[in-house]
Amino acid sequence: MNEGRAQLSRRSFLTLAGFGVASAGLLARPALARALCPNLPSALQRASGDWQLSFTDNFTDNAGFDQRWVKVTDSGGETKSVRRPENVTISGAGLSLNLGRNRDNRGGNRPFVGGYVRTKDFRQRYGYFECEMKIANEAGVNNAFWLTSVPDSEGDKRFELDVVEAKFPNLVHVTARQWLPVKKVLSKSYRPRLKLANEFHRYGMLWSEDSFKFYFDEKKIFEAVNDFAHTPAQLLFSNAVASFAGKDDGDVDGAATSIRNIRVFQNTEWQELQVRRCS
């Protein structure tokens, strides 16, 4: 990525009524919001509406990170890993979800450890969600950027939107999944002709009232109809050694999933339409 692009990944927040974004001020000053993100992702350049930055982080500030994110402890799911806060680190290079051996065997019979974070307060319904991520250079690891509905607003429809589940060496898997009241899965796998662990790649999803569109390095790789995801969602990053990610070699020490930045955009025209519907 070029230097100008990297400079756009400063932290800023935009209040959008009804979407739970973190702080006030920029909504009344759309010119300032546009100045913070003058180069919209290509998917939004082709989309109608007034797109504004609603959340962004480049993961270089520990204090700011703790205000916006929660380090999750988790040992559930069909994985060989437990996820622990100490396996999440922040540096000048961004966010690292570090992998290793579960040497004290805490969390049950799971031989590996990894990292897992979620947004503390930020929630958004619809919009464009993207990150720049470099996957772990290890087979058998699932490297994920995803969204989930939250209990306080999801009603009877629980859903998960996997912007990406990336696996070594070059598998990009995207999914829109309804868990409740009935299970529904819309997914696709895409294999670019490159190794995902060699450099950072951009993974994105455009989520609207009518559809899901998934992108890899700004190329659309999947589109599906949205008939279930209509409530605000939280953002998550995680990794895990898992059988569904392929066969591991038993040693992942020193490997990590690296996230350089995240950006989220909201269409203020969608917001205004939703406010009118609710009034």
PDB file of all heavy atoms in Angstrom, residues 45-58:
ATOM      1  N   GLN A  45     -16.996   4.072  -4.485  1.00  0.00           N
ATOM      2  CA  GLN A  45     -16.956   5.031  -5.574  1.00  0.00           C
ATOM      3  C   GLN A  45     -18.018   4.708  -6.624  1.00  0.00           C
ATOM      4  O   GLN A  45     -18.523   5.595  -7.308  1.00  0.00           O
ATOM      5  CB  GLN A  45     -15.565   5.044  -6.203  1.00  0.00           C
ATOM      6  CG  GLN A  45     -14.477   5.560  -5.285  1.00  0.00           C
ATOM      7  CD  GLN A  45     -13.094   5.430  -5.889  1.00  0.00           C
ATOM      8  OE1 GLN A  45     -12.941   5.287  -7.105  1.00  0.00           O
ATOM      9  NE2 GLN A  45     -12.063   5.470  -5.053  1.00  0.00           N
ATOM     10  N   ARG A  46     -18.343   3.425  -6.732  1.00  0.00           N
ATOM     11  CA  ARG A  46     -19.369   3.009  -7.701  1.00  0.00           C
ATOM     12  C   ARG A  46     -20.772   2.998  -7.097  1.00  0.00           C
ATOM     13  O   ARG A  46     -21.745   2.868  -7.823  1.00  0.00           O
ATOM     14  CB  ARG A  46     -19.026   1.610  -8.228  1.00  0.00           C
ATOM     15  CG  ARG A  46     -17.724   1.533  -8.994  1.00  0.00           C
ATOM     16  CD  ARG A  46     -17.537   0.169  -9.640  1.00  0.00           C
ATOM     17  NE  ARG A  46     -17.405  -0.898  -8.665  1.00  0.00           N
ATOM     18  CZ  ARG A  46     -16.232  -1.337  -8.193  1.00  0.00           C
ATOM     19  NH1 ARG A  46     -15.106  -0.775  -8.611  1.00  0.00           N
ATOM     20  NH2 ARG A  46     -16.188  -2.317  -7.324  1.00  0.00           N
ATOM     21  N   ALA A  47     -20.860   3.098  -5.779  1.00  0.00           N
ATOM     22  CA  ALA A  47     -22.162   3.016  -5.106  1.00  0.00           C
ATOM     23  C   ALA A  47     -22.760   4.408  -4.947  1.00  0.00           C
ATOM     24  O   ALA A  47     -22.050   5.400  -4.825  1.00  0.00           O
ATOM     25  CB  ALA A  47     -22.003   2.352  -3.744  1.00  0.00           C
ATOM     26  N   SER A  48     -24.074   4.471  -4.946  1.00  0.00           N
ATOM     27  CA  SER A  48     -24.751   5.749  -4.741  1.00  0.00           C
ATOM     28  C   SER A  48     -24.765   6.091  -3.262  1.00  0.00           C
ATOM     29  O   SER A  48     -24.578   5.246  -2.398  1.00  0.00           O
ATOM     30  CB  SER A  48     -26.190   5.668  -5.270  1.00  0.00           C
ATOM     31  OG  SER A  48     -26.921   4.667  -4.562  1.00  0.00           O
ATOM     32  N   GLY A  49     -24.976   7.365  -2.974  1.00  0.00           N
ATOM     33  CA  GLY A  49     -25.100   7.789  -1.594  1.00  0.00           C
ATOM     34  C   GLY A  49     -23.948   8.653  -1.137  1.00  0.00           C
ATOM     35  O   GLY A  49     -22.957   8.860  -1.838  1.00  0.00           O
ATOM     36  N   ASP A  50     -24.083   9.167   0.084  1.00  0.00           N
ATOM     37  CA  ASP A  50     -23.064  10.008   0.710  1.00  0.00           C
ATOM     38  C   ASP A  50     -22.348   9.155   1.751  1.00  0.00           C
ATOM     39  O   ASP A  50     -22.868   8.892   2.831  1.00  0.00           O
ATOM     40  CB  ASP A  50     -23.733  11.213   1.364  1.00  0.00           C
ATOM     41  CG  ASP A  50     -22.729  12.157   2.015  1.00  0.00           C
ATOM     42  OD1 ASP A  50     -21.520  11.997   1.765  1.00  0.00           O
ATOM     43  OD2 ASP A  50     -23.155  13.038   2.779  1.00  0.00           O
ATOM     44  N   TRP A  51     -21.137   8.700   1.433  1.00  0.00           N
ATOM     45  CA  TRP A  51     -20.402   7.784   2.295  1.00  0.00           C
ATOM     46  C   TRP A  51     -19.459   8.544   3.213  1.00  0.00           C
ATOM     47  O   TRP A  51     -18.675   9.379   2.754  1.00  0.00           O
ATOM     48  CB  TRP A  51     -19.615   6.788   1.454  1.00  0.00           C
ATOM     49  CG  TRP A  51     -20.512   5.838   0.732  1.00  0.00           C
ATOM     50  CD1 TRP A  51     -20.981   5.944  -0.537  1.00  0.00           C
ATOM     51  CD2 TRP A  51     -21.087   4.647   1.273  1.00  0.00           C
ATOM     52  NE1 TRP A  51     -21.806   4.883  -0.847  1.00  0.00           N
ATOM     53  CE2 TRP A  51     -21.889   4.071   0.252  1.00  0.00           C
ATOM     54  CE3 TRP A  51     -20.990   3.991   2.500  1.00  0.00           C
ATOM     55  CZ2 TRP A  51     -22.593   2.891   0.436  1.00  0.00           C
ATOM     56  CZ3 TRP A  51     -21.694   2.805   2.683  1.00  0.00           C
ATOM     57  CH2 TRP A  51     -22.484   2.273   1.662  1.00  0.00           C
ATOM     58  N   GLN A  52     -19.549   8.256   4.490  1.00  0.00           N
ATOM     59  CA  GLN A  52     -18.695   8.901   5.470  1.00  0.00           C
ATOM     60  C   GLN A  52     -18.054   7.855   6.372  1.00  0.00           C
ATOM     61  O   GLN A  52     -18.626   6.797   6.638  1.00  0.00           O
ATOM     62  CB  GLN A  52     -19.503   9.895   6.312  1.00  0.00           C
ATOM     63  CG  GLN A  52     -20.050  11.054   5.488  1.00  0.00           C
ATOM     64  CD  GLN A  52     -20.793  12.067   6.333  1.00  0.00           C
ATOM     65  OE1 GLN A  52     -20.913  11.912   7.537  1.00  0.00           O
ATOM     66  NE2 GLN A  52     -21.279  13.114   5.686  1.00  0.00           N
ATOM     67  N   LEU A  53     -16.855   8.171   6.839  1.00  0.00           N
ATOM     68  CA  LEU A  53     -16.121   7.290   7.726  1.00  0.00           C
ATOM     69  C   LEU A  53     -16.794   7.268   9.099  1.00  0.00           C
ATOM     70  O   LEU A  53     -17.029   8.315   9.691  1.00  0.00           O
ATOM     71  CB  LEU A  53     -14.689   7.782   7.844  1.00  0.00           C
ATOM     72  CG  LEU A  53     -13.634   6.871   8.436  1.00  0.00           C
ATOM     73  CD1 LEU A  53     -13.418   5.647   7.543  1.00  0.00           C
ATOM     74  CD2 LEU A  53     -12.320   7.631   8.597  1.00  0.00           C
ATOM     75  N   SER A  54     -17.099   6.086   9.602  1.00  0.00           N
ATOM     76  CA  SER A  54     -17.747   5.986  10.911  1.00  0.00           C
ATOM     77  C   SER A  54     -16.852   5.364  11.973  1.00  0.00           C
ATOM     78  O   SER A  54     -17.093   5.540  13.167  1.00  0.00           O
ATOM     79  CB  SER A  54     -19.047   5.179  10.804  1.00  0.00           C
ATOM     80  OG  SER A  54     -18.808   3.907  10.227  1.00  0.00           O
ATOM     81  N   PHE A  55     -15.828   4.623  11.572  1.00  0.00           N
ATOM     82  CA  PHE A  55     -14.924   3.985  12.532  1.00  0.00           C
ATOM     83  C   PHE A  55     -13.627   3.649  11.808  1.00  0.00           C
ATOM     84  O   PHE A  55     -13.661   3.147  10.681  1.00  0.00           O
ATOM     85  CB  PHE A  55     -15.573   2.703  13.068  1.00  0.00           C
ATOM     86  CG  PHE A  55     -14.789   1.975  14.131  1.00  0.00           C
ATOM     87  CD1 PHE A  55     -15.049   2.192  15.473  1.00  0.00           C
ATOM     88  CD2 PHE A  55     -13.817   1.048  13.794  1.00  0.00           C
ATOM     89  CE1 PHE A  55     -14.355   1.504  16.461  1.00  0.00           C
ATOM     90  CE2 PHE A  55     -13.114   0.354  14.775  1.00  0.00           C
ATOM     91  CZ  PHE A  55     -13.384   0.583  16.110  1.00  0.00           C
ATOM     92  N   THR A  56     -12.500   3.923  12.446  1.00  0.00           N
ATOM     93  CA  THR A  56     -11.224   3.522  11.878  1.00  0.00           C
ATOM     94  C   THR A  56     -10.189   3.391  12.974  1.00  0.00           C
ATOM     95  O   THR A  56     -10.253   4.095  13.988  1.00  0.00           O
ATOM     96  CB  THR A  56     -10.737   4.521  10.805  1.00  0.00           C
ATOM     97  OG1 THR A  56      -9.517   4.057  10.233  1.00  0.00           O
ATOM     98  CG2 THR A  56     -10.545   5.913  11.366  1.00  0.00           C
ATOM     99  N   ASP A  57      -9.269   2.474  12.813  1.00  0.00           N
ATOM    100  CA  ASP A  57      -8.209   2.263  13.791  1.00  0.00           C
ATOM    101  C   ASP A  57      -7.000   1.683  13.075  1.00  0.00           C
ATOM    102  O   ASP A  57      -7.155   0.810  12.205  1.00  0.00           O
ATOM    103  CB  ASP A  57      -8.690   1.299  14.881  1.00  0.00           C
ATOM    104  CG  ASP A  57      -7.919   1.446  16.186  1.00  0.00           C
ATOM    105  OD1 ASP A  57      -6.783   1.945  16.160  1.00  0.00           O
ATOM    106  OD2 ASP A  57      -8.470   1.051  17.235  1.00  0.00           O
ATOM    107  N   ASN A  58      -5.814   2.171  13.437  1.00  0.00           N
ATOM    108  CA  ASN A  58      -4.594   1.570  12.893  1.00  0.00           C
ATOM    109  C   ASN A  58      -3.793   0.828  13.960  1.00  0.00           C
ATOM    110  O   ASN A  58      -2.654   0.422  13.729  1.00  0.00           O
ATOM    111  CB  ASN A  58      -3.722   2.602  12.174  1.00  0.00           C
ATOM    112  CG  ASN A  58      -3.284   3.729  13.086  1.00  0.00           C
ATOM    113  OD1 ASN A  58      -3.545   3.723  14.297  1.00  0.00           O
ATOM    114  ND2 ASN A  58      -2.615   4.727  12.513  1.00  0.00           N
TER     115      ASN A  58
END
